[in-house]
Amino acid sequence: MRPISLGVFHLATVVHLALGAAVFNWPDPLLDGLDSQLYEPSSVSIIAVNCSERDNSTVAAQWLRLAYHDMATYNSTTGTGGLDASIQFEFTRAQDVGRGMLESLNDFFQSPNEYIGMADVIGMAAISAVVACGGPVIPFRGGRIDATEAGPATVPEPQQDLASHIASFQAQGFNETEMIALVACGHSLGGVRQVDFPLIVTDDVPTGIQTFASTVGFDNRVVTEYLDGTTENVLVVGSNITTRSDFRIFSSDGNATMQSLASPETFNKVCADLIERMVNTVPSTVTLTDIIEPLDFKVQDTSLYPQGGSLVFLATLRIIETGVNRTVTMFWKERTGTFCPPAGCSIPVMQVLSESSSLLAQLKGVAGFNRHSFNASIDLATSISHFWFEVNNNDGSAPFIVNNNGANYTIDQDVLVYDPQRTLATFVPGSVERLVVGIKGPSVPTNVTALTTVAGNETVPFTTKAINTFELDSSFTPTDGYTFYSSPFDFAGGVIPLSHTIRATINETEYSVWVPGDGVL
């Protein structure tokens, strides 16, 4: 996991942004985490790659269906519903039948945290599903807010008549032409499972599923096979006329829309636009970010804690791989007094690790990342106020500075610090596992607590919150001007923490530190 002390560090990145892309200014755990899940290896970016098979269908088909069913609660008149993760409370409904719903939610149950909700994860998954099966790249915006209860049961069902379908899609914000195209786009993947819909798939199917098209990937074969009469789409040619919903929808304008989608290029463009609209259909009270593109430079894995007579400061600068043999140096300045030279204290990189990028990142031209890690020893007396980086491409060009768009990466306090090393020391067999923080100075703090976001499970997929209290920990001797407090946590009991916001009131001032995951580096 990557400890990031937001209450301690105000970091940001210099980014070569595409027009209209979100600007990343630290601390921003939302954009930071979404960038990582979209463009680095993650559950969202890996599981569906190569249109991977599951349950005689594909993971991608399940993810795209989940996203639509979640969005289908939207009411364009009231501005309520939409892609808000209410599906976590709805997947047992008859209209949401199918084990793929819960399987998909279980794919994601460790992906949210305090800042990234399940709704954003479902949106990212829909986009990843399309590219994983060879479909178009779709822009992603973040900032969705999770619902706390089920939405209305408004998912269209195959036995409904055309007027009902038109009304449902109109409520979701799609006109009749867009309804036809969105159904075709969605039914490019997957099919109808006999065990879930025995009144639709009435013939014996060896695999247990009747696919919408003859190909597995995301393409317009669902359209061309419909137009040339070779389709086996059971929602078009099934023996149960009542449930031929695709036929009613596709033919509702005399096949004009389907004929326009016979061009693969048109199909991809229309589907990219409509699926983007689908995942961006959110309650009117929610404002999404600008489009999130891969960040050229991103600070990660930051931590500040006392050890051996100094402050250890860890930081990593992730840089998009471009084939350049870079030299990266980290600089910092004191918080109080004088210790560093006028140009700042500096340290060379400790190690450089190569990291692969996701398929989506590769389709955007990002072959991989280089992670430049630093381990600085900071003087206890003067501490650290801010830091920055100098990057030399060693190609004859002038070195350049990465410094939060000119504002530097600011460390706004060193009074409350998360201590990863002492936390690790508590993770031994037979011991109580604890999160450990250090508090500077002789003052006795009050209300040292952690708001912990806890992962769901295979039965209850949604996250929950827990408050954990820190107490003075006598097993750690006060040192380097810090006293140590710990909070027990049942990591081994099947409870999976996704993030912690640790707060303490010291001399009537509140300090906070944000730590993702289980607190282990």
Side-chain angles (χ1 to χ4, degrees):
M1 294 294 181
R2 295 173 175 167
I4 303 176
S5 303
L6 292 187
V8 176
F9 306 126
H10 281 182
L11 317 180
T13 60
V14 173
V15 185
H16 298 151
L17 293 169
L19 184 64
V23 177
F24 183 65
N25 292 301
W26 194 274
D28 195 334
L30 173 65
L31 292 186
D32 183 357
L34 294 177
D35 167 87
S36 292
Q37 293 198 39
L38 286 167
Y39 302 124
E40 297 176 8
S42 69
S43 297
V44 168
S45 68
I46 289 178
I47 295 176
V49 166
N50 296 322
C51 225
S52 55
E53 181 180 337
R54 184 158 68 193
D55 302 334
N56 292 317
S57 181
T58 62
V59 173
Q62 293 178 340
W63 287 6
L64 197 57
R65 179 173 183 252
L66 178 80
Y68 174 73
H69 280 233
D70 188 37
M71 184 280 302
T73 60
Y74 187 67
N75 185 315
S76 58
T77 301
T78 62
T80 57
L83 197 67
D84 59 3
S86 64
I87 193 70
Q88 296 174 111
F89 308 98
E90 301 159 0
F91 65 90
T92 57
R93 289 175 174 170
Q95 61 185 194
D96 298 318
V97 68
R99 61 187 178 186
M101 290 293 191
L102 186 55
E103 285 177 335
S104 297
L105 289 171
N106 286 333
D107 289 336
F108 313 142
F109 78 100
Q110 293 191 56
S111 298
N113 59 39
E114 182 180 351
Y115 293 91
I116 298 173
M118 182 64 83
D120 267 345
V121 176
I122 293 171
M124 289 188 289
I127 285 170
S128 294
V130 173
V131 298
C133 289
V137 172
I138 300 169
F140 181 78
R141 302 170 188 267
R144 291 161 191 79
I145 297 176
D146 287 357
T148 57
E149 60 185 7
T154 51
V155 176
E157 298 181 82
Q159 73 276 10
Q160 294 173 333
D161 60 21
L162 179 63
S164 297
H165 285 136
I166 292 173
S168 293
F169 279 88
Q170 189 172 50
Q172 297 160 17
F174 299 97
N175 62 31
E176 185 175 348
T177 298
E178 293 164 343
M179 171 189 71
I180 297 167
L182 185 58
V183 171
C185 296
H187 288 177
S188 172
L189 301 175
V192 181
R193 195 175 303 281
Q194 188 172 38
V195 68
D196 298 327
F197 296 96
L199 298 180
I200 297 177
V201 184
T202 56
D203 298 330
D204 289 335
V205 182
T207 62
I209 184 171
Q210 181 62 61
T211 57
F212 294 124
S214 61
T215 52
V216 174
F218 190 96
D219 58 36
N220 72 333
R221 195 66 64 90
V222 68
V223 173
T224 58
E225 290 174 353
Y226 165 79
L227 291 174
D228 66 20
T230 62
T231 185
E232 295 184 5
N233 180 351
V234 71
L235 299 182
V236 173
V237 296
S239 59
N240 188 341
I241 296 176
T242 303
T243 57
R244 290 182 181 176
S245 55
D246 278 10
F247 174 76
R248 291 191 291 274
I249 290 170
F250 292 165
S251 62
S252 61
D253 65 351
N255 292 329
T257 299
M258 293 296 277
Q259 288 168 353
S260 73
L261 298 174
S263 159
E265 293 77 15
T266 300
F267 181 81
N268 275 354
K269 183 180 185 305
V270 169
C271 289
D273 291 343
L274 289 175
I275 294 173
E276 181 183 6
R277 277 182 54 193
M278 180 185 82
V279 299
N280 290 345
T281 298
V282 295
S284 58
T285 54
V286 174
T287 300
L288 299 179
T289 69
D290 290 333
I291 295 168
I292 300 172
E293 298 289 356
L295 300 172
D296 288 357
F297 303 95
K298 186 169 78 166
V299 173
Q300 297 177 304
D301 301 355
T302 55
S303 194
L304 180 71
Y305 58 93
Q307 187 177 73
S310 65
L311 288 170
V312 174
F313 177 55
L314 306 177
T316 295
L317 181 65
R318 191 199 73 179
I319 306 178
I320 291 176
E321 170 61 59
T322 60
V324 174
N325 183 26
R326 300 183 181 89
T327 300
V328 182
T329 305
M330 186 175 75
F331 290 81
W332 71 91
K333 289 292 288 182
E334 315 90 333
R335 174 173 299 281
T336 60
T338 302
F339 181 83
C340 296
C345 292
S346 65
I347 189 172
V349 69
M350 179 178 65
Q351 67 176 3
V352 181
L353 297 177
S354 296
E355 181 181 74
S356 60
S357 59
S358 69
L359 173 61
L360 182 59
Q362 292 167 21
L363 292 172
K364 290 176 174 284
V366 177
F369 303 98
N370 288 326
R371 292 169 50 81
H372 302 256
S373 296
F374 299 85
N375 185 338
S377 179
I378 307 295
D379 182 71
L380 274 170
T382 58
S383 191
I384 177 173
S385 64
H386 62 272
F387 65 101
W388 67 96
F389 302 91
E390 181 184 85
V391 180
N392 189 338
N393 286 334
N394 296 314
D395 59 0
S397 61
F400 59 93
I401 301 299
V402 178
N403 65 350
N404 188 17
N405 302 312
N408 290 316
Y409 300 107
T410 301
I411 300 175
D412 64 359
Q413 59 94 10
D414 59 0
V415 177
L416 172 68
V417 297
Y418 165 69
D419 194 319
Q421 293 303 313
R422 287 175 175 82
T423 293
L424 278 170
T426 72
F427 281 43
V428 294
S431 70
V432 177
E433 297 170 349
R434 295 165 287 173
L435 289 173
V436 180
V437 297
I439 293 179
K440 186 177 183 179
S443 300
V444 177
T446 57
N447 301 322
V448 187
T449 60
L451 173 64
T452 299
T453 301
V454 179
N457 54 50
E458 293 182 357
T459 304
V460 182
F462 49 85
T463 61
T464 55
K465 305 287 186 182
I467 300 292
N468 299 289
T469 301
F470 287 74
E471 301 290 347
L472 181 66
D473 194 327
S474 60
S475 67
F476 295 110
T477 303
T479 185
D480 301 328
Y482 285 83
T483 304
F484 300 96
Y485 291 71
S486 68
S487 174
F489 200 91
D490 185 19
F491 296 114
V495 177
I496 301 175
L498 302 173
S499 66
H500 312 269
T501 293
I502 303 170
R503 293 186 173 89
T505 301
I506 304 167
N507 293 332
E508 300 183 349
T509 299
E510 184 175 280
Y511 299 87
S512 66
V513 176
W514 187 69
V515 183
D518 55 15
V520 180
L521 280 169

